[in-house]
Amino acid sequence: MSEATITLVNPQTALSLFGARDQHLHRIRDTLSVDITHRNGKIYVAGPQDAVTQATAALEQLKGIAERTGSVDATEVAQVLALVTGRNELGPGTGNPIKIVATGREVRPRTPGQIAYVDAIRKHDLIFAVGPAGTGKTYLAVAMAVEAFKNQETRKIVLVRPAVEAGESLGYLPGDLYAKINPYLRPLLDALYEMMDYDLARQLIERDTIEICPLAYMRGRTLNEAFIILDEAQNTTVAQMKMFLTRMGRGSKIVIAGDSTQVDLPSHTRSGFADALYRLKDIDGVCQIRLSKADIVRHRLVQDIVRAYEETPKRRKQ
């Protein structure tokens, strides 16, 4: 028999963690066959040692979600239980630990949603990632691309972004073409330089083994044995998205990341990202992963900011 204790700083966290009528608590108890009690701001877990270890890990992860987002839903409980037990409730492989090894460091998905995202990239050739800022859509995709390149699973990495301005005009920036498009591609470069030695990355870019280019430069090409990432996909038009998707060649993998709440296209212009999500949803081999506020891993304030912008329109309607 083993015991463990988890301390809750905020009493409200317990309400979110346990769920309405303690439904989340009952599910953890039933799944892991442990006793869980709560008193004086602490959670006490008792049972067989392995079960207590798993229950404690699950409760700590759910506690983190509750503290970041203010709530925990049944899907998140199922994802966390699948993760800690290794049971494939969410599909084959999801419960297995996923490790992305980069130069001199490890990059790990940190939430159940991110784990499902990385798992989907491993298993599918065309992946759509939908989610708010800070959920790791671009960062994890670049990490997976670097891993695939180092393992010789791909010959080329192509990082693509539409050159759409977010409320500011960049057309009169000084310099050559690369200098002008650099601000658009900076987020991809930042992620790349975290995954790979800077000098090596620059050499690979100079040799076009790693290619970073605006979406418009993809027309007319066929990319074979390439790992292709389209970032900020919500800012593509329907025609641009169709053009991009048809660049996919033999042995290639495409990850398309976007945030449907941050479209910078002109008004009345339909987002190619939203259009593709609808058109391709039933095609076998196409995977759509939806990340949520619970998957945000930036500064804790980012989740509050995302929530505030989601709630503002509702308040205005009242």
Side-chain angles (χ1 to χ4, degrees), residues 221-242:
R221 304 179 62 186
T222 300
L223 295 170
N224 296 317
E225 298 180 52
F227 195 120
I228 312 158
I229 300 171
L230 174 59
D231 191 30
E232 297 293 334
Q234 74 275 4
N235 288 328
T236 62
T237 65
V238 174
Q240 285 175 329
M241 180 60 76
K242 178 183 176 183

Side-chain angles (χ1 to χ4, degrees), residues 22-289:
D22 290 345
Q23 60 178 339
H24 303 334
L25 186 62
H26 292 317
R27 181 161 190 175
I28 297 170
R29 282 173 173 163
D30 294 343
T31 301
L32 300 175
S33 300
V34 293
D35 293 324
I36 304 175
T37 57
H38 172 238
R39 61 181 182 274
N40 300 325
K42 294 183 178 180
I43 299 174
Y44 300 91
V45 185
Q49 184 172 351
D50 289 346
V52 168
T53 300
Q54 291 178 342
T56 304
L59 287 166
E60 288 285 5
Q61 289 197 42
L62 293 170
K63 172 188 170 185
I65 293 173
E67 289 174 343
R68 293 195 306 269
T69 68
S71 65
V72 175
D73 62 33
T75 299
E76 289 164 339
V77 175
Q79 289 176 330
V80 168
L81 285 173
L83 172 63
V84 300
T85 62
R87 299 174 188 174
N88 296 327
E89 298 176 27
L90 304 176
T94 306
N96 298 328
I98 299 171
K99 186 185 298 184
I100 306 170
V101 181
T103 302
R105 58 179 300 211
E106 290 182 349
V107 179
R108 292 174 178 265
R110 294 169 55 186
T111 69
Q114 288 187 347
I115 290 169
Y117 176 38
V118 170
D119 199 39
I121 294 175
R122 292 198 187 282
K123 294 177 181 177
H124 297 86
D125 290 334
L126 178 56
I127 305 95
F128 287 87
V130 189
T135 51
K137 301 184 300 296
T138 303
Y139 189 82
L140 289 173
V142 172
M144 293 295 290
V146 171
E147 182 191 60
F149 179 75
K150 289 188 173 182
N151 292 339
Q152 298 184 338
E153 297 168 4
T154 187
R155 293 191 303 106
K156 186 180 181 72
I157 297 174
V158 183
L159 308 176
V160 185
R161 214 168 186 251
V164 175
E165 297 155 357
E168 299 177 81
S169 178
L170 302 179
Y172 294 100
L173 285 174
D176 58 13
L177 176 64
Y178 183 81
K180 287 180 180 293
I181 65 174
N182 186 270
Y184 296 105
L185 305 174
R186 195 73 245 172
L188 291 168
L189 286 167
D190 289 343
L192 178 65
Y193 292 147
E194 281 201 43
M195 310 295 167
M196 185 176 286
D197 176 77
Y198 179 85
D199 291 334
L200 174 61
R202 293 307 308 173
Q203 290 175 17
L204 293 174
I205 290 172
E206 289 173 3
R207 297 202 300 256
D208 269 350
T209 302
I210 297 178
E211 185 177 352
I212 305 173
C213 64
L215 177 60
Y217 284 55
M218 297 293 288
R219 186 174 298 279
R221 304 179 62 186
T222 300
L223 295 170
N224 296 317
E225 298 180 52
F227 195 120
I228 312 158
I229 300 171
L230 174 59
D231 191 30
E232 297 293 334
Q234 74 275 4
N235 288 328
T236 62
T237 65
V238 174
Q240 285 175 329
M241 180 60 76
K242 178 183 176 183
M243 178 272 292
F244 173 77
L245 288 170
T246 53
R247 302 308 94 199
M248 189 176 191
R250 171 180 43 81
S252 288
K253 185 186 292 286
I254 291 180
V255 178
I256 299 173
D259 178 359
S260 299
T261 67
Q262 293 190 350
V263 178
D264 299 312
L265 293 169
S267 57
H268 308 300
T269 300
R270 179 164 173 74
S271 168
F273 186 55
D275 181 77
L277 289 171
Y278 176 75
R279 288 179 188 266
L280 308 182
K281 62 182 179 180
D282 296 323
I283 294 181
D284 186 38
V286 177
C287 181
Q288 297 185 8
I289 294 292

